[in-house]
Amino acid sequence: MSGIYIHIPFCKQACHYCDFHFSTSMKKKDEMVLALAKEIVMRKKEFEKEVVETIYFGGGTPSVLTTDEINFLINTIYENYKIVENPEITLEANPDDLSSERILALSKSPINRLSIGIQSFFEEDLKMMNRAHNSAEAIKCLEEATQYFDNISLDLIYGIPGLTDEMWQQNIETALSFGIPHISSYALTVEPKTALKKLIDTGKIAEPQDEVASNHFMILVETLQKNDFIHYELSNFGKEGYFSKNNSAYWLGKKYIGIGPSAHSYDGEKRGWNIANNSLYLKSIQGDILPIETEILSKSDRYNEYIMTGLRTIWGVSLERIEKEFGFDYLNYLQKQMQKFLDDELVFIENNILKPTSKGKFLTDGIASDLFYLNLEE
């Protein structure tokens, strides 16, 4: 099974923390939709032997597209690829785009999963992050969406300067009050060249504190587990039967095609990425040229990716797979490197699977980097 990701490179306004590729100008939106459809057709040979299980509209803000435009792209995929009987088709959406009429229209489309960018239910947080919606819109869209969609995920951000433990707990409880079956939650990070970085550097906003983020993370994990959520990936929590099939496929190393500017692709041996420039992307596609660069992954690259994704998920890192797929030298290296984390009770081994402990989960990325194989001959 494989997936198709479609990057919609438009947003109404720029969130202060975001470093994804997008444009706030909608002038080329119509052109872009046609180009996305054309790229879908141009790349169908890559998936001749594959069956598509997931279609994911990400961005940017995919909900700036009309429902007709979304249906047009989905129909183009159906016309050119083999699709499972009931694929997971996800649309990332912002609350300000989810009016009652829009939710109803989407419910009649092939979209069967919404991923809603709430981030916070507090007005001051939304203003600080420069979100396009307000708290009232966040509440209203969830009241409406839950009437028409069973499979809904929402995003929450923790570690926001000024967000107390009590406020963070209230954010989580508000989300739970709608019966949402999936929550994705991320620490506020300061990326270079973002408005947030500039605001922090000029002293207009306090810098996020790791200790606060760590505490918020533990509150999140504890609260959601009490409410029957499974912490199946570092930043993702789902009830039984509601894990994101799209994201799980990434973490389990399945193949996917990325359509649109800046979108990434993976076929098991090489990784590709489209040019992150709307005008150059359009010019290339209109000239029948795929604007993609690729790299063949070395054994060390594939090992490191498996370590990173495996440690972040409930599936962990299989020591048996390490030896079978990468060889004894890699297994021996991993066993030596992980010993200090075993001693510090940050990881444990169960049924020959390496996993982080509760204490180690927030430190997963740092642990993984220490387990990476950096200087091996290929």
Side-chain angles (χ1 to χ4, degrees), residues 218-269:
M218 297 310 294
I219 292 170
L220 176 72
V221 172
E222 185 179 336
T223 304
L224 293 186
Q225 286 180 342
K226 283 180 181 176
N227 284 273
D228 300 321
F229 281 76
I230 300 166
H231 190 192
Y232 72 103
E233 193 273 341
L234 183 63
S235 302
N236 287 271
F237 304 77
K239 292 200 170 181
E240 193 73 51
Y242 288 95
F243 294 0
S244 167
K245 292 180 182 177
N246 175 80
N247 293 347
S248 295
Y250 291 162
W251 303 319
L252 293 172
K254 295 184 180 181
K255 297 179 182 179
Y256 58 90
I257 287 178
I259 302 293
S262 81
H264 284 233
S265 303
Y266 175 69
D267 69 1
E269 295 180 354

Side-chain angles (χ1 to χ4, degrees), residues 166-205:
E166 291 74 24
M167 292 168 69
W168 174 235
Q169 184 75 49
Q170 190 174 328
N171 264 341
I172 301 168
E173 298 293 347
T174 301
L176 291 173
S177 71
F178 292 99
I180 300 296
H182 189 281
I183 291 175
S184 296
S185 191
Y186 309 90
L188 181 66
T189 53
V190 185
E191 302 292 348
K193 299 179 182 178
T194 59
L196 179 60
K197 173 75 166 121
K198 187 174 182 180
L199 288 167
I200 289 171
D201 288 346
T202 55
K204 293 178 181 176
I205 292 177

Side-chain angles (χ1 to χ4, degrees), residues 61 128 358:
T61 310
M128 187 276 283
S358 296

Side-chain angles (χ1 to χ4, degrees), residues 70-127:
I70 292 166
N71 288 338
F72 167 64
L73 293 172
I74 294 172
N75 290 338
T76 304
I77 293 173
Y78 267 87
E79 289 165 5
N80 291 278
Y81 295 77
K82 298 171 189 172
I83 315 292
V84 295
E85 188 175 342
N86 293 302
E88 176 189 88
I89 307 180
T90 302
L91 178 75
E92 288 184 356
N94 279 351
D96 48 296
D97 293 323
L98 294 178
S99 64
S100 301
E101 297 75 21
R102 186 68 194 284
I103 291 169
L104 179 60
L106 287 171
S107 72
K108 295 177 180 178
S109 79
I111 297 291
N112 52 32
R113 183 174 184 269
L114 293 179
S115 177
I116 305 175
I118 299 292
Q119 315 310 358
S120 177
F121 292 99
F122 289 98
E123 206 65 51
E124 57 267 41
D125 295 340
L126 298 172
K127 287 179 179 177

Side-chain angles (χ1 to χ4, degrees), residues 130-148:
N130 201 39
R131 295 291 293 168
H133 70 279
N134 58 41
S135 182
E137 287 172 322
I139 297 290
K140 186 174 186 299
C141 88
L142 289 175
E143 288 173 345
E144 298 275 354
T146 50
Q147 293 181 38
Y148 294 94

